[in-house]
Amino acid sequence: MLKTWVVIPPYSDTHPPPSLPYAMSDSELSSKYVLQTVGFDARFPNTNQTRNCFQNYTDYFKCIAAKGEDYVPCKQFKRAYNSLCPNEWISRWDDQREAGTFPASLEP
């Protein structure tokens, strides 16, 4: 097995670590952003989340077709698929939906 070693130079009072211009304190970060991952879904117990991604995508569009875009519980599906799915897949599926060639039924 090949190991990679990273050499970190020692810092002292005379040579402090470089400051980053975009560094923020923890309180600034927590006040600006809320990071949350998708919770466990018992329907998809394996580590491969491809089906979970696709199911949340289709569930979102079925939900808004049935309840409308302002229905708050539908947004959970959107947050889930935005978190799980690669952006390329989402844009491809959006194109397929617009072209009428999406491989699944989105009727409620």
Side-chain angles (χ1 to χ4, degrees):
M1 179 166 68
L2 184 64
K3 291 186 179 182
T4 304
W5 295 92
V6 178
V7 178
I8 301 173
Y11 294 110
S12 66
D13 292 336
T14 57
H15 298 290
S19 63
L20 301 174
Y22 52 84
M24 299 175 118
S25 70
D26 288 338
S27 62
E28 288 175 319
L29 282 175
S30 65
S31 67
K32 284 188 156 202
Y33 304 102
V34 176
L35 299 177
Q36 186 176 10
T37 60
V38 177
F40 177 74
D41 190 341
R43 297 175 298 169
F44 307 100
N46 299 321
T47 56
N48 185 345
Q49 294 295 304
T50 302
R51 289 185 52 86
N52 191 357
C53 153
F54 185 77
Q55 188 64 51
N56 278 289
Y57 184 86
T58 57
D59 286 348
Y60 172 71
F61 287 101
K62 287 179 182 181
C63 184
I64 63 170
K67 301 288 185 175
E69 295 211 20
D70 296 334
Y71 191 62
V72 176
C74 293
K75 294 181 182 181
Q76 176 59 31
F77 294 123
K78 185 171 186 172
R79 282 193 297 270
Y81 84 72
N82 277 321
S83 176
L84 293 168
C85 302
N87 292 334
E88 294 82 19
W89 292 7
I90 295 171
S91 61
R92 183 175 0 126
W93 292 337
D94 288 342
D95 293 342
Q96 289 175 343
R97 272 188 316 103
E98 290 170 7
T101 59
F102 190 69
S105 171
L106 298 176
E107 296 298 319

